[in-house]
Amino acid sequence: MKRIVFALLAMSFLNVGLAQEKTENKSADFSRWKVRVRGIGVVPNESASIGTIGGDVSISTALVPELDFTYFFTKNIAAELILGTTKHDVSTVGSDISAIGGPTSYNVDLGSVRLLPPTLTVQYHFNQSCDNVLKPYIGAGVNYTVFYDVKPGDVVKGVSYDNALGYAAQAGFDLMVTDKFFINADVKRLFLKTDVTVDASNLAPGLSIPAEVDINPWIIGMGVGMKF
């Protein structure tokens, strides 16, 4: 149901934009492109269903630079593509490893993983007239996350993550400093889950631990941009 809602919302924004564009002069006096450079905090809102040993998951917060591009179909309807990559430390919390001689409540270090999550959103921008300094917007779209550079740490033999399709919602604003340059603040919520397999055969012969992990991060950013 969540996927259907976000898909319909994004499609409705795009359909409105295309309808508006038909009624506008293609030489209309507005900038088609915006580019931004932001510093973002990626804050997972994680949970997991872990087989065999139970417990939950802990995923660290990351602070990284991010680049994004926005194209305006009309003065109000735009599409934004964000590009960035993050590294996160991962562990289980409160797992029961008594079956292999450990305690009943233990945090298993699962090393680290990098995420490449390009995200495309369709946006509605308010207050687009030239005399408005504050230009807020909302958006919804899709995300495809690639997990790479997996390092399992010193406890288990290996960890694998399935690449995953997710969905995004966002809200933000541009604060115009000049006609071309602006300050941006933006908040996104990604709805993202992945299947994880932990190879713990070094701890017990044939031990493989499956998990379904909801990452669902908040992405909070601030930066500067230019329209052209």
Side-chain angles (χ1 to χ4, degrees):
M1 180 61 71
K2 188 183 294 181
R3 295 184 178 186
I4 295 173
V5 170
F6 278 103
L8 290 176
L9 184 57
M11 289 176 63
S12 67
F13 280 170
L14 185 56
N15 287 337
V16 170
L18 293 177
Q20 288 184 4
E21 186 173 28
K22 290 180 180 178
T23 64
E24 292 186 359
N25 190 325
K26 291 185 181 294
S27 63
D29 184 21
F30 68 94
S31 300
R32 292 281 182 178
W33 289 94
K34 286 185 177 181
V35 61
R36 302 179 185 88
V37 177
R38 289 189 281 229
I40 60 172
V42 180
V43 185
N45 185 27
E46 68 273 40
S47 64
S49 174
I50 302 174
T52 311
I53 62 173
D56 208 337
V57 67
S58 175
I59 303 173
S60 66
T61 295
L63 300 174
V64 296
E66 175 254 22
L67 178 67
D68 70 82
F69 301 91
T70 302
Y71 177 78
F72 282 78
F73 300 100
T74 72
K75 286 186 178 181
N76 300 99
I77 304 296
E80 179 190 87
L81 177 65
I82 69 167
L83 302 171
T85 186
T86 60
K87 180 182 179 181
H88 301 271
D89 297 323
V90 184
S91 65
T92 72
V93 179
S95 296
D96 181 358
I97 60 171
S98 57
I100 55 175
T104 57
S105 181
Y106 184 73
N107 299 344
V108 181
D109 179 14
L110 298 180
S112 64
V113 60
R114 292 184 183 272
L115 278 65
L116 179 63
T119 302
L120 179 65
T121 59
V122 179
Q123 304 170 327
Y124 186 85
H125 290 252
F126 305 89
N127 298 346
Q128 290 302 295
S129 63
C130 295
D131 57 344
N132 286 312
V133 174
L134 182 65
K135 301 179 184 294
Y137 58 85
I138 57 174
V142 295
N143 156 268
Y144 187 78
T145 297
V146 177
F147 297 84
Y148 71 102
D149 192 24
V150 180
K151 297 179 180 178
D154 298 328
V155 179
V156 299
K157 184 176 181 180
V159 184
S160 65
Y161 299 82
D162 289 349
N163 296 339
L165 176 69
Y167 298 87
Q170 75 175 142
F173 65 84
D174 295 325
L175 181 65
M176 303 305 299
V177 179
T178 70
D179 289 342
K180 280 192 173 183
F181 297 96
F182 56 88
I183 298 170
N184 174 260
D186 184 275
V187 177
K188 293 183 181 69
R189 177 72 184 274
L190 301 188
F191 299 89
L192 175 66
K193 64 172 57 180
T194 180
D195 292 327
V196 180
T197 303
V198 179
D199 180 358
S201 58
N202 59 315
L203 303 177
L207 180 58
S208 179
I209 303 170
E212 295 181 355
V213 179
D214 292 324
I215 303 174
N216 296 341
W218 289 96
I219 302 177
I220 303 168
M222 181 167 285
V224 295
M226 178 182 71
K227 64 179 185 178
F228 57 95

